[in-house]
Amino acid sequence: MRSGELPGTLPRGVVFPSDHDAVVHVVRYAVEHGIPVVPYGAGSGVLGGSVPLSNELVVDLKRLNCVKVVDTFNGLVTVGAGINGGQLESLLNAQGYTCGHLPQSLNMSTVGGWVACRGAGQASGLYGKIEDIVLGLACVLPNGETLRIQPLSHRSTGPSLRDLLVGSEGTLGIITEVTLRIWRQPECEIATVFALPDQAAGLELCRQVVQSELRPSVMRLYDLRESAERTKGLSAFDQRPILCMLMFSGPRRVIQEESAMAGEIAAAVGAAIAPDDPITHWRNTRFDSYSARRQSADEYMDTIEVVVPWSAVSAFYEATEQLARSIHPEMHFGAHWSHSYSESVCQYMTFRLPRMPQAQGLALHAATWDGVCRLALVWGGSIAHHHGAGAFRGPWMAQEHQCGMQVLQSIKDSMDPDNLFNPGKLGLRPRPNAVRMGYVASGVES
Amino acid sequence: MSAANVRACSLTPSQVDAMSSLRLCMLCPAQCRRFWERSQPEQSEVITPSSLAMLAVFVAQDVIVLDESVRQALQRRDMAKVCRAGCPHDLDVAGSIDCLVGERLEAGAR
């Protein structure tokens, strides 16, 4: 785009439905006339999920931004899918609540986008990813019917239809309404900054914390490069250069105990408590996006988030760092780990190439994606933790899902026989006239 | 040197600054958009500061033709003005548009 070229194709039009029924009308019209559609929220996704590939009709959902019910008794909020995330959170905070989903993109994304892309927030350690927070939804299916899923967290009535829609990125339906869990805002927070002797100690700290059934709202571990960027001038990191920040949020008595237990684990792996500066800075900038300055300087910057088992994370990190060096000697590579589970952890990587001819930059960029996705699968991981698949991760979806990809394609074909709903995304079959858009390196089969 | 940079050579220093600001805005995912109240009747993407910035940059680079529809779009700056308070880069998008392509907009309007 910065060279004046269009990603994908222009849409054949953009419609702005004001409510669910209007979306139904749009879908029925589109199906009747064989017009493919792409749902659109705020466009903050980084995988091209909302980019038209074959002159689709874009269905901009931002007018569906009402707050239907704040049900504090059951701990639920029901909203239109197009509401801005930051506006929803502010509204809930004013009533003493939070929905607990606080992605960096909070102020530039919609609730429907969170659900459609299976996103994660910075407090996922306490509240979970969006699939743990969304309980109910309404969506318009490709046949024009409305599917409503009642907001109940658990049931035993077959496979979860909710999970079929959460992460479907508009390929199986257009989500128009979402019901999320809400929680009282935490009574207090206890944040601690640790300096660790090395990365292995940091990973061990994180693994032991989650496997000890502690639930920090925030636990962020940085590799050496990202630690150095955040700890300049702090002598506490001279001998222990690795930064880890832990925050517990909730009832004071509970989190005092949790924080103390985490402190014991930290001490056992050689950590020392450090000044609060890094977490103060993080709090102040946690919803900012810093990529625009790099992009406007004509650098080639991207972030890739994958999830790998604890047993593989160190080897995977070394492999990805080596990959970056092998692709270009001046490539910036940094990583952090900010979503931890009992069995696995998300490694969030930043790759950045200096200014260079566009063809070369894009080729190296594609090679980086190919290498990282392949390595994630080799080490028993998943190619995506919370950014979704969109258009760009399509080439590796079949490698991840194996024969499961055919299951997904069969579901898609059954629900959307004319392939009209966001065609060509998630690695699903594109329309015949679709442009090819993706980080396709040589040797990658789409 | 890219085609865009070649065209930039004909810009005045203040227009170069404006171009730089607008390129930054067009590549920003519109972090300021939450300042646009949800009660506003128009919630379309074309009125976001990022979209206006992109249009202005593309006009300046002759990537797109400054026809009547583009000229009208570039005049719709209510959201850009409201969202200026929430710009993390402290940009004045409306002012930068005037600086970069204001004369062409006026010429087109005559």
Side-chain angles (χ1 to χ4, degrees):
Chain A
M1 198 169 81
R2 66 192 186 195
S3 63
E5 295 168 25
L6 191 68
T9 65
L10 283 172
R12 71 182 64 194
V14 184
V15 292
F16 307 95
S18 58
D19 56 26
H20 174 89
D21 289 344
V23 177
V24 171
H25 286 303
V26 168
V27 167
R28 287 181 175 165
Y29 180 89
V31 171
E32 184 181 340
H33 293 84
I35 299 170
V37 297
V38 175
Y40 191 94
S44 66
V46 290
L47 275 302
S50 59
V51 175
L53 302 179
S54 51
N55 302 113
E56 290 89 336
L57 177 68
V58 167
V59 184
D60 189 326
L61 298 162
K62 282 193 286 294
R63 289 179 72 200
L64 278 68
N65 60 12
C66 67
V67 178
K68 294 201 166 183
V69 183
V70 181
D71 174 3
T72 57
F73 191 82
N74 289 310
L76 300 171
V77 63
T78 299
V79 297
I83 190 170
N84 176 280
Q87 290 179 346
L88 171 62
E89 186 62 16
S90 294
L91 186 147
L92 291 172
N93 290 171
Q95 299 181 50
Y97 288 84
T98 176
C99 79
H101 189 75
L102 307 170
Q104 184 188 36
S105 64
L106 180 71
N107 296 318
M108 44 185 147
S109 57
T110 63
V111 172
W114 299 348
V115 176
C117 296
R118 221 174 170 87
Q122 294 162 346
S124 66
L126 180 60
Y127 300 106
K129 284 183 77 211
I130 195 67
E131 59 263 38
D132 305 306
I133 297 170
V134 59
L135 296 188
L137 57 83
C139 75
V140 182
L141 300 174
N143 64 3
E145 289 188 29
T146 295
L147 173 64
R148 289 190 181 275
I149 295 171
Q150 294 304 314
L152 301 164
S153 60
H154 294 87
R155 65 184 84 202
S156 176
T157 52
S160 167
L161 290 175
R162 178 177 60 224
D163 279 328
L164 188 61
L165 274 302
V166 176
S168 64
E169 301 192 24
T171 61
L172 302 178
I174 297 179
I175 297 169
T176 59
E177 184 180 297
V178 174
T179 300
L180 305 173
R181 283 183 161 127
I182 57 172
W183 304 88
R184 287 188 191 86
Q185 282 187 286
E187 177 188 336
C188 69
E189 291 180 336
I190 300 176
T192 311
V193 175
F194 292 107
L196 290 127
D198 53 42
Q199 188 171 297
L203 288 167
E204 185 62 9
L205 167 61
C206 294
R207 185 182 70 85
Q208 287 197 31
V209 164
V210 289
Q211 292 185 351
S212 299
E213 300 175 46
L214 305 179
R215 295 176 65 198
S217 53
V218 176
M219 184 162 66
R220 302 178 70 88
L221 172 69
Y222 299 87
D223 74 354
L224 188 60
R225 178 170 279 124
E226 293 202 1
S227 292
E229 292 168 354
R230 290 162 176 78
T231 60
K232 283 176 187 159
L234 296 177
S235 59
F237 291 89
D238 289 348
Q239 301 302 316
R240 293 179 173 87
I242 297 296
L243 168 66
C244 184
M245 308 189 301
L246 261 75
M247 186 191 299
F248 290 91
S249 310
R252 185 179 305 278
R253 281 192 298 163
V254 173
I255 67 169
Q256 281 177 335
E257 194 63 32
E258 282 193 289
S259 184
M261 291 176 68
E264 291 170 11
I265 295 171
V269 300
I273 294 176
D276 287 343
D277 305 47
I279 202 161
T280 301
H281 180 264
W282 177 79
R283 282 183 201 266
N284 292 337
T285 59
R286 61 187 293 190
F287 301 123
D288 293 349
S289 172
Y290 54 89
S291 64
R293 286 201 181 276
R294 297 289 185 180
Q295 302 290 6
S296 65
D298 290 330
E299 297 178 0
Y300 296 84
M301 176 187 161
D302 213 342
T303 56
I304 309 178
E305 29 57 72
V306 303
V307 58
V308 291
W310 285 112
S311 56
V313 64
S314 290
F316 176 73
Y317 174 83
E318 286 181 21
T320 47
E321 186 183 39
Q322 188 175 1
L323 171 76
R325 280 199 306 269
S326 71
I327 287 176
H328 194 282
E330 292 179 50
M331 179 181 275
H332 166 96
F333 170 79
H336 64 263
W337 299 266
S338 50
H339 305 277
S340 296
Y341 309 97
S342 60
E343 84 295 340
S344 60
V345 62
C346 167
Q347 180 167 307
Y348 192 108
M349 294 159 279
T350 299
F351 297 89
R352 198 168 62 237
L353 287 161
R355 291 178 69 162
M356 61 180 65
Q358 179 167 294
Q360 182 189 5
L362 293 181
L364 297 179
H365 183 238
T368 305
W369 268 92
D370 185 40
V372 171
C373 289
R374 288 174 183 271
L375 286 171
L377 294 172
V378 164
W379 288 103
S382 169
I383 61 172
H385 176 260
H386 59 270
H387 285 174
F392 296 141
R393 275 184 166 131
W396 299 279
M397 286 288 281
Q399 295 174 44
E400 163 129 1
H401 290 301
Q402 302 290 314
C403 64
M405 196 65 216
Q406 187 53 45
V407 174
L408 286 178
Q409 186 66 62
S410 297
I411 292 170
K412 168 72 168 170
D413 292 344
S414 170
M415 293 178 67
D416 182 16
D418 296 324
N419 199 17
L420 296 176
F421 270 45
N422 210 3
K425 308 295 169 55
L426 294 183
L428 297 166
R429 187 183 307 116
R431 290 178 69 82
N433 60 340
V435 298
R436 192 177 172 116
M437 180 176 154
Y439 308 138
V440 181
S442 59
V444 180
E445 294 178 4
S446 57
Chain B
M1 185 179 278
S2 69
N5 288 336
V6 170
R7 292 186 197 100
C9 291
S10 61
L11 300 178
T12 65
S14 61
Q15 286 177 319
V16 170
D17 289 344
M19 172 74 90
S20 176
S21 295
L22 293 173
R23 284 191 85 229
L24 177 59
C25 182
M26 84 177 213
L27 294 168
C28 173
Q31 301 169 69
C32 58
R33 66 169 69 230
R34 76 185 170 96
F35 282 75
W36 189 242
E37 295 286 340
R38 61 193 177 92
S39 57
Q40 291 284 352
E42 180 159 14
Q43 297 288 337
S44 68
E45 212 54 36
V46 74
I47 61 170
T48 61
S50 293
S51 295
L52 295 183
M54 183 176 68
L55 282 177
V57 167
F58 283 1
V59 166
Q61 295 176 339
D62 294 328
V63 171
I64 58 174
V65 176
L66 180 57
D67 62 14
E68 185 58 20
S69 66
V70 174
R71 195 188 67 78
Q72 286 184 11
L74 282 168
Q75 300 290 7
R76 301 170 67 197
R77 305 187 188 167
D78 288 352
M79 185 176 182
K81 289 173 182 170
V82 167
C83 291
R84 188 179 175 188
C87 176
H89 310 296
D90 198 25
L91 301 178
D92 174 10
V93 172
S96 295
I97 291 171
D98 280 336
C99 179
L100 186 62
V101 296
E103 286 184 13
R104 293 178 64 180
L105 287 176
E106 286 181 14
R110 285 197 288 269

